[in-house]
Amino acid sequence: MKILQTTLLLFLVWSLGTAQDKPNILWITFEDTGTYLSSYGDSTAKTPNIDALARESVVYSQAFSNAGVCAPSRSAIITGMYPMSIGTNHMRTGRDIMGQGQKTYRENKNVSDREGNNVREYSAVVPEKVKCFTEYLRAAGYYCSNNAKTDYQFAAPFTAWDQNDPKAHWRNRPDHQPFFAVFNFNETHESKIWKHNKLPLTVDKDQVDVPPYYLDNDVTRKDLARMYSNIELFDQRVEKIIQQLKEDGLYENTYIFLFSDHGGPMPRQKREVIASGLHVPFYIKYPESNTKGFSNQIVSFVDLAPTMLEIAGVKPPKHLQGNSIFSKERKYSFAARDRMDEFTSARRSITDGKYLYVKYLFPIPSPYQDIEYRMQVPTMKVLKEAYDNGTLNEIQSVWFTPLSGEEQLFDLEKDPYETINLIDDPKYASIQKKLSKQLSKWRKNTPDMCIEPEAKMIERMWPNGKQPSTEEVTIDQHDQTITLSCKTGGASIGYRINNGEWLLYHEPIKITKNCVLETKAIRIGYKESTVNQLAIEFPRKAHI
């Protein structure tokens, strides 16, 4: 593993040191998918395009999200920060899911925190220093596009992307500009288990393996076959994007990252902070495909932001809580779960890839929570009915059964389905002690804004229940040089000239022609400032 890591680092240094242009970066992300691909030993779904990419990539066998559900996980990815440390771990804060979001927030959504206080919708106000890492890429000359899911737990700031909508594409950038392009595909989302029920199944339900924590019946098998059929649909999307990259002559000079936003879509997978909810497929195709193979290096999603910055030759800010996967090998990945829709809980977990340990911070009736949205999955309905009727076996009942304590420990190699809690097994006492100590150390060193009742956290973010506003931009002109500033701490500033595209302000602007300059600012979680406008006119030169 260390040899492969050293090779990757040397290749990165070489590529940045010799190429005239910075490398392009492409993310192909999908949703709610565990390691259900042939690269990970599961060939149930036929994915020729992913398989072809895998043959030219490094396949990481130990990649983990920092949450078992979309929005907190995506918050970690875009900020390089653990979600509970910036107040973005409650699922979900608002409805800012696509593009720049709806930016409207209901005062009552029939959700309460653990003290019974009303939880309103909100856009999380993160600490001042926290930015979307794409702003650092934009400042370094990258064209950044996102198509089109954001779901960061805050409305995506307009300064984060050059283009952030369903038409976003690297093809829209100026000629010869390096790009960071993200394509988010939702064919594999949990909801597609029922929303795709009229589509033909391309995987035979009789050929799927049924995890022991499910009932082996026709309903479960159809849902699992649908899950794999949805993966095959996603594979077609991969084919199209890779083909476009090759058509444009960009394939060889592009880093391609392919990964899911968290683990599987099925019950006792999605939302959980055990491996079934956290373990993801993760591929990197390097420029020229000179580096390929398999790696058991632990990858945590909080590492993605600093990794992208290192590829771009940008020094990562010190506040980032992850490290570039090319520069530092981590020993553990951490995850957290707090409110999940209408049910609150507080769980923290740690894995070293072989074992996984969970700590429950507050008592709850059982690991299972009766989340209304999830009841639309047919398998969930039959599982719950069978539990209520007392017809589940011991393994199938564990998820619904009250915990005997506040801890869980699983051996991921011997028990990949995580059905045996080893916390009271004396043979694993040293493992429990080590992981518990490391989790406590991480919790001590990492702020946890989500540990307090959510309504109190929201009140600090939005005093008196009102979203704060970013102050308008101050424009200072000295001859041809324009300097912009904003009194709101942590605000990012954007500007445009003559009604053009909004650009990120990161250094003084040089203007040599008459124009109309517009500016506005945004701090994450705040309302945007009003637009400030300045007509710039230079004196005409006198004719002699």
Side-chain angles (χ1 to χ4, degrees):
M1 177 169 58
K2 290 185 179 295
I3 294 175
L4 177 58
Q5 185 184 20
T6 302
T7 301
L8 300 181
L9 180 58
L10 290 173
F11 174 75
L12 180 66
V13 172
W14 175 85
S15 65
L16 291 177
T18 62
Q20 290 184 349
D21 299 318
K22 292 182 178 182
N24 302 310
I25 309 169
L26 168 66
W27 280 10
I28 304 174
T29 70
F30 52 120
E31 304 201 42
D32 303 13
T33 303
T35 53
Y36 315 136
L37 299 171
S38 60
S39 305
Y40 296 86
D42 186 346
S43 57
T44 307
K46 305 307 176 187
T47 54
N49 301 293
I50 295 174
D51 294 346
L53 182 65
R55 289 191 290 270
E56 298 187 349
S57 302
V58 175
V59 180
Y60 290 82
S61 64
Q62 300 292 344
F64 298 90
S65 60
N66 301 116
V69 73
C70 308
S73 177
R74 290 173 180 271
S75 177
I77 290 170
I78 195 64
T79 64
M81 306 290 288
Y82 290 107
M84 89 283 183
S85 76
I86 59 174
T88 59
N89 207 49
H90 293 291
M91 178 69 186
R92 173 180 278 119
T93 60
R95 290 165 289 161
D96 298 317
I97 299 172
M98 305 297 290
Q100 291 188 31
Q102 294 188 16
K103 301 181 184 179
T104 58
Y105 307 95
R106 294 174 295 181
E107 292 186 6
N108 193 322
K109 58 178 181 176
N110 297 318
V111 170
S112 301
D113 66 15
R114 71 171 183 271
E115 292 187 343
N117 302 306
N118 175 58
V119 173
R120 63 159 303 140
E121 289 185 335
Y122 60 103
S123 179
V125 176
V126 303
E128 288 186 11
K129 60 190 175 184
V130 176
K131 305 279 188 181
C132 296
F133 77 84
T134 49
E135 291 193 9
Y136 304 118
L137 293 181
R138 293 186 73 190
Y142 273 77
Y143 180 88
C144 296
S145 63
N146 180 65
N147 186 332
K149 188 171 185 177
T150 45
D151 204 12
Y152 304 146
Q153 302 280 51
F154 49 79
F158 75 100
T159 48
W161 302 97
D162 289 279
Q163 188 177 11
N164 182 15
D165 57 46
K167 295 182 179 180
H169 203 291
W170 71 76
R171 288 177 169 174
N172 300 328
R173 77 194 193 285
D175 291 342
H176 308 301
Q177 185 176 2
F179 66 80
F180 171 63
V182 179
F183 290 85
N184 300 275
F185 297 113
N186 69 356
E187 282 80 3
T188 55
H189 188 265
E190 172 189 38
S191 63
K192 304 303 181 182
I193 298 293
W194 67 85
K195 290 182 177 179
H196 282 176
N197 61 359
K198 294 184 179 180
L199 296 181
L201 286 173
T202 56
V203 172
D204 186 346
K205 64 183 175 61
D206 294 325
Q207 300 301 312
V208 301
D209 290 330
V210 179
Y213 46 78
Y214 293 149
L215 292 165
D216 189 347
N217 58 25
D218 193 62
V219 172
T220 303
R221 286 185 168 275
K222 282 183 178 179
D223 281 354
L224 290 170
R226 176 64 60 201
M227 179 188 78
Y228 284 110
S229 296
N230 289 341
I231 292 173
E232 293 187 349
L233 289 175
F234 166 66
D235 186 68
Q236 298 173 25
R237 294 282 209 157
V238 175
E239 178 183 30
K240 182 177 180 181
I241 291 295
I242 297 298
Q243 184 58 40
Q244 289 176 345
L245 203 62
K246 290 180 177 179
E247 288 173 357
D248 293 354
L250 298 168
Y251 183 76
E252 297 301 335
N253 187 39
T254 299
Y255 283 87
I256 302 175
F257 287 70
L258 184 144
F259 59 93
S260 172
D261 62 352
H262 56 77
M266 294 282 284
R268 221 223 63 161
Q269 297 174 357
K270 184 168 182 173
R271 300 173 183 85
E272 303 301 317
V273 287
I274 56 178
S276 63
L278 304 173
H279 194 195
V280 299
F282 191 91
Y283 305 76
I284 304 178
K285 198 284 292 183
Y286 291 77
E288 308 294 338
S289 301
N290 285 336
T291 307
K292 60 187 76 172
F294 289 84
S295 172
N296 62 354
Q297 177 184 349
I298 292 179
V299 173
S300 183
F301 277 2
V302 77
D303 298 329
L304 282 171
T307 300
M308 297 310 107
L309 297 182
E310 183 168 344
I311 288 175
V314 177
K315 185 178 180 180
K318 292 182 179 180
H319 72 266
L320 296 187
Q321 293 168 331
N323 296 287
S324 169
I325 64 176
F326 304 128
S327 298
K328 186 174 182 179
E329 184 175 336
R330 66 166 52 246
K331 295 181 179 179
Y332 308 101
S333 183
F334 302 92
R337 169 174 172 166
D338 289 287
R339 177 177 59 79
M340 202 63 62
D341 292 350
E342 67 269 36
F343 287 92
T344 188
S345 70
R347 315 175 198 185
R348 306 292 182 259
S349 72
I350 176 175
T351 183
D352 61 2
K354 183 176 181 180
Y355 300 98
L356 186 141
Y357 169 82
V358 185
K359 175 75 171 178
Y360 286 72
L361 306 186
F362 302 106
I364 57 173
S366 71
Y368 168 79
Q369 293 179 308
D370 202 24
I371 296 168
E372 182 180 2
Y373 185 83
R374 181 168 55 198
M375 292 304 295
Q376 296 176 92
V377 180
T379 294
M380 185 69 258
K381 293 180 182 178
V382 299
L383 263 180
K384 184 62 167 55
E385 289 171 0
Y387 177 73
D388 291 341
N389 294 332
T391 56
L392 295 182
N393 64 32
E394 183 178 356
I395 288 178
Q396 294 160 353
S397 299
V398 168
W399 190 35
F400 300 92
T401 304
L403 292 167
S404 59
E406 59 186 18
E407 300 170 291
Q408 293 173 305
L409 177 66
F410 301 105
D411 185 329
L412 302 181
E413 293 182 355
K414 294 181 180 179
D415 178 28
Y417 288 115
E418 301 163 290
T419 62
I420 304 171
N421 184 6
L422 301 168
I423 201 67
D424 295 323
D425 190 329
K427 292 184 294 185
Y428 291 86
S430 62
I431 301 298
Q432 183 274 338
K433 183 178 180 180
K434 180 184 74 171
L435 294 182
S436 176
K437 180 180 179 180
Q438 292 298 325
L439 183 65
S440 295
K441 180 180 178 182
W442 172 70
R443 290 188 61 212
K444 181 179 179 180
N445 296 332
T446 307
D448 196 337
M449 292 177 62
C450 295
I451 201 70
E452 70 174 333
E454 188 176 5
K456 292 182 180 179
M457 184 190 76
I458 297 171
E459 177 62 23
R460 290 191 293 104
M461 293 179 173
W462 287 29
N464 300 315
K466 296 194 178 296
Q467 185 179 18
S469 296
T470 312
E471 294 200 43
E472 70 175 26
V473 175
T474 299
I475 305 174
D476 292 316
Q477 180 181 4
H478 183 71
D479 296 331
Q480 296 179 338
T481 301
I482 304 293
T483 304
L484 307 180
S485 60
C486 178
K487 292 181 180 179
T488 301
S492 296
I493 300 173
Y495 70 96
R496 64 181 180 181
I497 297 173
N498 293 337
N499 206 34
E501 299 295 331
W502 286 101
L503 303 175
L504 175 70
Y505 176 78
H506 61 95
E507 61 184 4
I509 310 164
K510 202 79 170 179
I511 294 182
T512 59
K513 296 180 180 179
N514 294 350
C515 66
V516 175
L517 174 71
E518 291 178 286
T519 65
K520 63 179 178 177
I522 179 67
R523 176 178 170 182
I524 291 176
Y526 281 38
K527 293 180 181 178
E528 289 182 0
S529 73
T530 56
V531 175
N532 198 358
Q533 187 178 93
L534 176 67
I536 300 175
E537 296 183 357
F538 295 100
R540 293 184 178 181
K541 293 182 179 180
H543 293 286
I544 299 176

